[in-house]
Amino acid sequence: MFWFLLITMVVVVAAVTLAVVGGGDSEVLPDVAPEQLVDPLPVTRPVDRADVEALRLPVAARGYRMADVDDVLVRLGAELAERDARIAELEEALTGTGDGPGSGFGPASGPGHAPGSASGGEDDRP
């Protein structure tokens, strides 16, 4: 029984050694090209929620590739900044250019709360 185990161990060690070292010039495990980000974010139109949900970043040995994540975050940040600027521009155009207390969308300046209206102006006192 001892000789059988010894011979089996020698055969296994020899097989593993040949597999690791290899029998010639060819590699046992060839290098795999790293995954590259195929940017599914559209270039010709603004990014929407479905685009972000469909986005799949390639995985590297220790998680996601930082360069790909940074590129996507920069792109999304730029799109959000552009939308915020457009929203601010539209709100300013809607409320006027005044910076007074009645120029924003506060509780006293919403629809139906214009100064002098029947729903909350100073003329409503008896």
Side-chain angles (χ1 to χ4, degrees):
M1 182 69 151
F2 173 75
W3 292 106
F4 176 74
L5 289 175
L6 184 62
I7 293 172
T8 304
M9 190 180 339
V10 168
V11 169
V12 168
V13 168
V16 170
T17 303
L18 284 176
V20 171
V21 173
D25 293 333
S26 66
E27 297 180 35
V28 176
L29 295 175
D31 290 335
V32 177
E35 288 185 53
Q36 297 296 322
L37 175 64
V38 178
D39 188 11
L41 297 177
V43 178
T44 58
R45 64 176 173 78
V47 176
D48 61 8
R49 181 179 181 155
D51 296 327
V52 175
E53 288 175 354
L55 180 66
R56 296 294 175 255
L57 298 170
V59 179
R62 297 182 306 168
Y64 293 105
R65 296 172 48 120
M66 286 190 274
D68 292 338
V69 174
D70 290 343
D71 291 344
V72 169
L73 290 176
V74 166
R75 169 83 189 274
L76 291 175
E79 294 248 352
L80 289 174
E82 183 179 326
R83 287 182 186 178
D84 288 345
R86 180 68 177 149
I87 288 171
E89 177 184 318
L90 292 173
E91 285 179 347
E92 184 177 326
L94 182 64
T95 60
T97 58
D99 289 336
S103 66
F105 282 108
S109 65
H113 292 286
S117 70
S119 63
E122 292 182 36
D123 298 335
D124 291 343
R125 285 187 249 161

